[in-house]
Each structure stands twice: as C-alpha cells, then as structure tokens.
Amino acid sequence: MPPSMCAVPAPGRRWTAGLRNEESTVRRDLGTRMGAMPARARRGERIALEEVVRDTAGRRVRLGSDDSIASAAPTLVKDGRIAVDAAAEGTLDPENLSFGYAWSNVRQPRTMAGLDAKGRLILATVDGRQPGVSEGFTLEEAARLMRSPGAVQALNLDGGGSTAMAVNGKLANITSDATGERAVGDTVQVLPWREPYRHR
C-alpha cells in the first residue's frame, strides 16, 4: 500500500487528499470535512487520516478481508425504476455546468452494472465518440438500456476512454481513445466459481 498523503495548499487553494502513486500524484477529495483540516494542520506536522465508509443512513459499513469497493455513480435504476440524479450524487454540479455536464448529458462511451430481480449480474458496455459507428449514451439512455433486460438496480461504473470489456481475455468492444485500450487502475472481473480450499 502506498503511503497516505495530505497536500497542504497555499491560502485560497483547495485541499487534496489521497494515496500517492509512483508519479507522486494525489487523488482529489473535496468532501465537506476537508474544509475543517486547516484548523488542525500545522506546517511540517504529520497528519493521520482515517477512512470510514458509511451507508446512506449514516451507519458505518464494516468491510471484511474479502470485501472490495468499486467507485460508481450515479445510480441508473433503483427498485425497478429509472432513477438518474447526477446532481444529487455529485457527478454534475448544477451551479457550474462546466463540471460534469458533458459527462452526464452528452452521449459518451459507458460501462454499467446491474442486478435483475433474481439477483443475476448484468454488465454492459456501450461504445461511443466514433462518428458514423457509435455515438454512446447519455446517463438517461444508459438507464433505459439497463432496464430493458430487466435490471432492477443499476449503476454507471465509468465512461469515456476507460470503457472496455474483455471476454475470455480478448477485448470485446471498440475503445474510443485513438491510441487504443487505456490503462486503468481497477477492473470488475467475473471469474469461474471454484470450491474453496479446505485444509485436510
């Protein structure tokens, strides 16, 4: 695990926090609690950060060693109904449409995941940004696509040049970047189930 890092900005700049990678870049976190950090931070002093995951009711989610979290937003289908609210989920800022508008309301390549009423997983990839070949979907169109095979819950996973699906190790779609498939930091993988190893 790379070291945690908090960047203390100059006055008037935004706070950033996250894990430093090999290029020493930092994931931005502009959460509401970040504004309280200047009162507690002193130049040159180490800061300890704790990550807590909470559900929508504010209850802490305890994660086990076999659990993992995928970043996904916004919700596309909830309880069988199309339920896209990009502004409420932070992927679109209605007061600053330059943030997220094209991503939310313009057709883009998309990757989506959902569950049907029987709990079966539905994964979908839609190509885009390829005039005359594929245009992509808006979030609303992506929700309708996921609802069509019976998804009762669905999320948008990612989009743009990161949209890629491989089946049996081979790329199954046409990615939108001119340079080809984009390197990404995480993936969702569906693997054959195997009997858990048991000590004998």
Side-chain angles (χ1 to χ4, degrees):
M1 180 71 94
S4 291
M5 175 180 168
C6 174
V8 181
R13 301 270 178 126
R14 291 178 183 245
W15 285 84
T16 61
L19 295 176
R20 179 169 44 193
N21 63 19
E22 295 79 18
E23 293 81 35
S24 294
T25 57
V26 179
R27 279 191 330 230
R28 286 195 314 167
D29 184 347
L30 304 177
T32 56
R33 296 190 180 189
M34 296 304 285
M37 288 183 70
R40 299 182 184 149
R42 291 188 179 83
R43 187 174 292 216
E45 186 178 76
R46 287 183 179 256
I47 299 173
L49 298 177
E50 179 185 21
E51 292 180 319
V52 177
V53 178
R54 298 191 185 278
D55 64 16
T56 54
R59 297 175 297 233
R60 185 171 184 164
V61 176
R62 302 283 178 186
L63 299 173
S65 60
D66 290 336
D67 293 325
S68 60
I69 298 173
S71 174
T75 300
L76 300 173
V77 179
K78 183 176 182 182
D79 299 328
R81 296 178 182 233
I82 292 175
V84 179
D85 193 341
E89 294 191 45
T91 58
L92 173 65
D93 183 352
E95 295 182 10
N96 178 9
L97 292 180
S98 65
F99 177 77
Y101 180 83
W103 183 83
S104 298
N105 297 310
V106 175
R107 288 180 169 154
Q108 306 282 358
R110 307 267 179 205
T111 302
M112 300 145 286
L115 296 172
D116 71 7
K118 295 182 180 179
R120 293 176 295 194
L121 178 65
I122 301 168
L123 293 173
T125 294
V126 176
D127 289 339
R129 297 182 185 167
Q130 300 171 59
V133 179
S134 59
E135 296 181 22
F137 278 171
T138 65
L139 291 174
E140 188 74 23
E141 290 168 335
R144 288 202 300 269
L145 173 78
M146 293 303 288
R147 188 66 196 96
S148 65
V152 294
Q153 311 292 342
L155 288 168
N156 183 78
L157 291 179
D158 201 354
S162 300
T163 292
M165 181 179 283
V167 178
N168 294 326
K170 293 184 180 178
L171 196 61
N173 71 308
I174 301 170
T175 56
S176 64
D177 283 0
T179 54
E181 187 178 359
R182 182 184 294 183
V184 295
D186 54 7
T187 62
V188 174
Q189 298 182 22
V190 179
L191 303 171
W193 184 84
R194 291 185 180 160
E195 180 80 26
Y197 176 78
R198 292 187 184 136
H199 293 286
R200 298 185 181 182

